[in-house]
Structures are given as C-alpha cells and as structure tokens.
Amino acid sequence: RLGYSVPENFGKKLGMSSLQFYGMADNVALFTKSSLPDPEAVGADGFTTGNNYPLALKFTVGISATF
C-alpha cells in the first residue's frame, strides 16, 4: 500500500483531522525460479490443474478521512 497524507492544515480547512490518498496493486509481477508459467496452477500431485487462466491483476485506490 502506497499512500500520501495531506498536510494537516489543508485537512482542517475541509473539516477533517486527517486525510490520506492511497493505492495498491496485486499480482503485477511474479519473481520466481520456477520453470512453470504459474506456480499457483500446480496441483498437489505436481501437475497442472488444467486451469489455464492467468492470475487477475487487482488495482485498489482509496481515500481515508478522519473527521
């Protein structure tokens, strides 16, 4: 999670004691020494499960405000 906290004096002008903007990204890159294209698609027996769908990218952004 990467965020930016707005200076306190700006938040007080808007009636808030704190204000933060943040963003987060999941499954953007995979760093592994595995020769498999997707280590999460391997079953307990060591073979692929037949699930050829790639991992979903997830991006989250938000605002956290305290009044």
Side-chain angles (χ1 to χ4, degrees), residues 12-66:
K12 286 187 178 183
K13 290 179 185 178
L14 299 174
M16 296 176 236
S17 60
S18 69
L19 179 65
Q20 181 185 40
F21 298 95
Y22 63 89
M24 183 170 48
D26 290 326
N27 296 325
V28 176
L30 176 66
F31 300 102
T32 181
K33 292 183 181 183
S34 174
S35 62
L36 298 170
D38 182 3
E40 292 186 7
V42 178
D45 59 358
F47 296 100
T48 61
T49 61
N51 181 4
N52 294 326
Y53 296 105
L55 290 174
L57 294 174
K58 182 171 87 171
F59 297 96
T60 305
V61 293
I63 299 172
S64 176
T66 304

